């Protein structure tokens, strides 16, 4: 049986029990009241007749008409010593039909409890009954009785009314109870629909709560809290899975790109080794060129391997040196080195006061070196570059390192991927020496810049420069008063 049916059955059972108790109590009280009233009338009639029978201390039998006038409507029977009937009157008024008389009043009353006790006796005909009182009178007895026809009719009408009222009230209680049970169970139906929708895979559904103080409201609130936590857990799981897939894709792409980058120098070394095996050792000029080329390719592979190891250490979160670093001094050293490498390219430096950060000086120097190397590789020869060290105007707790060039600039798509590993922009942006791959690099320089900046709590970005060119910006947190705070 469903909960709704059990609640309705329990409520109807209580209503029926209450109505039955009220009906029985009402019927019993009215019956007792009416029987008591009849008994009082019998006792009064009995006293009146006894006074008429006993006069001046002597027993005298009055006339029947006198008895009828004394107690109209009351059956009276006076019996002698031999139980013979001396006086009997039905109490019928003139014009009334002859009623059914009480059957064997004297013997029945005596057999059911003795003298002086009011008893109910059946009528001689029909289904009627009488209330009778037998009282000893000298050597005889006096019997008075009243018909219970009106009392029975009244009690019967009361019984029918109680049955009708009970049926109507139970039917109304069933209808109202069904409506109230459905209304009260509506939140549970909402919970059922919500659970069904969630089972179907839609985690966005929640239970509508009208009042959290009710039991169903508390259940709905607990279910919503549970669903929120499950939703968060699923979201975390999805993010973890997506991050794992993205990481796997990055690793695969990284391995593929690294293999691609290493394949060229390895192939070159194999080619020069084969050239040596085919007789270059007999030709001094070819031998020197082969050895020099092998050495160059080995150095190129060494730089690539060093860059890969550095990125691996940064990805693993290995700690770097932590010391106060004057970012302006680091930039000045890098600018001086860049001018020595490419004297024909003018490189300017502007430092806004003393700008100190907390980090690894060698890695920060590598950041500036890589940015300047990127300028040399992807801008025309002799194109100027500008280096600036300043405070972040939007957040005074960060320092900005800007490296601006006057090259062809970057497209929006290239700017979105320029810090990815092994990414190379459009070859048209590279100068002639870089297009053939001789000085083009491995595509790891800017990704190393981003990784080092991230480890130091900052980041790197690129933007277009008015008038042509690009501006690479590294954002690093400034040194606080207490480096260990």
């Amino acid at each position: 049986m469903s909960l709704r049916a059990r609640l309705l059955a329990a409520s109807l059972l209580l209503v029926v029990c209450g109505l039955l108790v009220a009906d029985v109590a009402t019927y019993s009280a009215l019956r007792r009241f009416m029987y008591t009233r009849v008994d009082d009338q019998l006792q009064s009639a009995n006293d009146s007749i006894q006074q008429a029978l006993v006069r001046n201390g002597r027993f005298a039998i009055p006339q029947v008409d006198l008895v009828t006038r004394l107690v109209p409507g009351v059956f009276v029977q006076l019996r002698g010593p031999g139980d013979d009937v001396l006086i009997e009157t039905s109490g019928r008024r003139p014009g009334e039909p002859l009623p059914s008389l009480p059957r064997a009043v004297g013997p029945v009353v005596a057999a059911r409890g003795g003298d002086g006790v009011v008893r109910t006796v059946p009528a001689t005909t029909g289904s009627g009954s009488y209330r009778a009182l037998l009282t000893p009178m000298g050597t005889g007895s006096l019997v008075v009785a009243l018909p219970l026809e009106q009392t029975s009719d009244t009690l019967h009408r009361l019984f029918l009314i109680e049955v009708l009222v009970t049926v109507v009230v139970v039917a109304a209680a069933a209808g109202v109870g069904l409506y109230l049970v459905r209304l009260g169970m509506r939140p549970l139906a909402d919970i059922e629909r919500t659970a069904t929708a969630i089972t179907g895979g839609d985690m966005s559904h929640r239970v509508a709560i009208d009042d959290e103080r009710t039991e169903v409201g508390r259940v709905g609130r607990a279910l919503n809290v549970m669903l929120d936590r499950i939703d968060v857990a699923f979201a975390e799981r999805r993010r973890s899975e997506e991050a794992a897939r993205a990481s796997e894709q990055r690793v695969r792409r990284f391995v593929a790109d690294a293999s691609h980058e290493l394949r060229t120098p390895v192939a070159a070394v194999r080619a020069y080794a084969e050239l040596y095996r085919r007789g270059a050792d007999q030709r001094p000029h070819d031998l020197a060129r082969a050895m020099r080329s092998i050495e160059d390719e080995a150095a190129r592979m060494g730089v690539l391997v060093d860059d890969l190891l550095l990125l691996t250490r940064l990805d693993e979160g290995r700690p770097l040196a932590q010391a106060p670093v004057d970012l302006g001094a680091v930039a000045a050293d890098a600018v001086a080195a860049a001018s020595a490498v490419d004297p024909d390219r003018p490189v300017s430096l502007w430092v806004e006061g003393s700008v100190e950060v907390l980090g690894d000086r060698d890695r920060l120097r590598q950041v500036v070196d890589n940015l300047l190397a990127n300028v040399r590789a992807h801008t025309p020869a002799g194109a100027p570059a500008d280096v600036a060290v300043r405070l972040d105007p939007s957040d005074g707790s960060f320092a900005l390192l800007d490296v601006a060039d006057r090259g062809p600039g970057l497209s929006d798509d290239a700017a979105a991927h320029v810090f990815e590993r092994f990414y190379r922009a459009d070859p048209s942006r590279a100068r002639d020496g870089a297009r053939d791959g001789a000085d083009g690099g491995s595509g790891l320089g800017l990704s190393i810049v981003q990784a080092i900046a991230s480890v130091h709590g900052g980041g790197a970005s690129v933007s277009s420069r008015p008038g042509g060119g690009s501006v690479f910006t590294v954002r690093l947190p400034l040194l606080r008063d207490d480096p260990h705070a």
Side-chain angles (χ1 to χ4, degrees):
M1 184 182 293
S2 65
L3 177 60
R4 179 181 299 145
R6 290 198 297 269
L7 289 175
L8 184 60
S11 61
L12 289 180
L13 180 61
L14 292 176
V15 170
V16 170
C17 291
L19 289 174
L20 289 178
V21 171
D23 292 344
V24 171
T26 302
Y27 187 89
S28 300
L30 182 61
R31 184 179 184 277
R32 185 167 53 252
F33 168 77
M34 298 189 72
Y35 271 60
T36 301
R37 188 176 64 176
V38 171
D39 293 346
D40 291 342
Q41 292 176 356
L42 286 176
Q43 189 64 48
S44 176
N46 182 70
D47 294 342
S48 299
I49 294 174
Q50 286 188 10
Q51 290 178 2
L53 292 175
V54 180
R55 294 180 180 178
N56 299 324
R58 298 179 62 186
F59 182 78
I61 299 175
Q63 296 295 324
V64 174
D65 294 340
L66 176 61
V67 173
T68 302
R69 289 195 302 271
L70 285 174
V71 284
V74 179
F75 173 83
V76 179
Q77 188 181 73
L78 180 62
R79 292 177 177 272
D83 204 25
D84 52 330
V85 178
L86 301 179
I87 296 177
E88 183 177 88
T89 175
S90 64
R92 179 176 62 88
R93 296 179 177 86
E96 290 181 353
L98 184 64
S100 60
L101 302 179
R103 181 188 308 160
V105 173
V108 171
V109 171
R112 291 191 178 185
D115 300 338
V117 179
V118 179
R119 297 296 180 193
T120 301
V121 295
T124 55
T125 60
S127 58
S129 60
Y130 279 77
R131 288 288 283 178
L133 173 63
L134 186 147
T135 306
M137 291 292 296
T139 58
S141 61
L142 175 65
V143 177
V144 293
L146 279 173
L148 295 177
E149 182 179 359
Q150 292 182 355
T151 301
S152 299
D153 290 343
T154 301
L155 293 177
H156 182 67
R157 284 195 299 270
L158 176 63
F159 176 78
L160 293 179
I161 291 173
E162 287 181 340
V163 171
L164 179 61
V165 170
T166 299
V167 172
V168 172
V169 171
V170 170
V176 174
L178 181 61
Y179 171 75
L180 293 177
V181 168
R182 286 180 176 176
L183 184 64
M185 297 291 288
R186 186 177 300 170
L188 291 180
D190 293 340
I191 292 176
E192 179 184 1
R193 287 192 294 270
T194 300
T196 302
I198 292 173
T199 303
D202 188 356
M203 297 293 296
S204 63
H205 281 264
R206 293 295 181 271
V207 179
I209 302 175
D210 296 331
D211 188 358
E212 294 187 356
R213 294 174 296 180
T214 63
E215 292 81 358
V216 177
R218 289 194 291 270
V219 171
R221 180 183 61 185
L223 182 60
N224 285 341
V225 172
M226 180 187 69
L227 292 176
D228 289 339
R229 293 180 178 176
I230 293 176
D231 199 10
V232 170
F234 272 106
E236 291 291 340
R237 179 179 177 182
R238 286 193 296 269
R239 284 195 292 268
S240 299
E241 291 177 351
E242 291 173 358
R245 287 193 293 268
S247 178
E248 182 180 359
Q249 291 294 332
R250 287 195 300 269
V251 170
R252 289 182 177 179
R253 187 170 61 250
F254 184 80
V255 171
D257 292 339
S259 301
H260 177 76
E261 292 295 329
L262 289 172
R263 182 176 58 185
T264 300
V266 168
V269 170
R270 290 179 60 186
Y272 288 120
E274 184 177 357
L275 179 63
Y276 174 81
R277 183 173 56 82
R278 290 184 177 182
D281 57 337
Q282 303 298 325
R283 300 185 294 276
H285 176 72
D286 291 339
L287 177 61
R289 185 168 61 88
M291 291 298 102
R292 185 171 61 254
S293 299
I294 292 174
E295 183 180 0
D296 292 340
E297 296 299 334
R300 181 180 174 186
M301 285 190 292
V303 171
L304 177 59
V305 171
D306 289 340
D307 290 342
L308 292 175
L309 291 176
L310 174 60
L311 287 173
T312 301
R313 288 194 295 268
L314 295 176
D315 289 342
E316 291 176 352
R318 295 184 184 181
L320 300 177
Q322 297 291 308
V325 178
D326 186 343
L327 193 58
V330 172
D333 294 341
V335 169
S339 297
V341 172
D342 189 1
D344 295 332
R345 183 184 302 274
V347 181
S348 64
L349 174 64
W350 177 76
V351 179
E352 182 184 359
S354 177
V355 180
E356 288 189 338
V357 297
L358 182 67
D360 188 326
R361 180 183 178 86
D362 293 338
R363 295 308 173 196
L364 294 177
R365 168 65 185 273
Q366 187 175 4
V367 166
V368 186
D369 288 341
N370 284 6
L371 292 176
L372 292 175
N374 183 72
V375 172
R376 292 194 300 271
H378 298 288
T379 59
D386 302 313
V387 179
V389 178
R390 57 192 175 92
L391 298 178
D392 189 348
S394 61
D395 188 350
S397 61
F398 281 84
L400 299 181
L401 170 66
D402 298 326
V403 177
D405 61 51
R406 301 292 177 86
L410 288 170
S411 64
D412 293 339
D413 181 68
H417 301 282
V418 71
F419 291 103
E420 294 180 2
R421 297 172 186 182
F422 296 108
Y423 176 79
R424 289 186 177 86
D426 188 352
S428 63
R429 185 177 181 269
R431 61 184 177 88
D432 294 340
R435 290 175 190 162
D436 58 4
D439 297 318
S442 61
L444 295 176
L446 294 180
S447 61
I448 291 175
V449 169
Q450 180 69 275
I452 294 176
S454 298
V455 171
H456 282 80
S461 62
V462 62
S463 60
S464 297
R465 183 177 184 177
S470 302
V471 179
F472 289 85
T473 301
V474 177
R475 189 169 182 262
L476 300 171
L478 283 173
L479 176 66
R480 291 178 290 181
D481 294 338
D482 182 6
H484 302 288

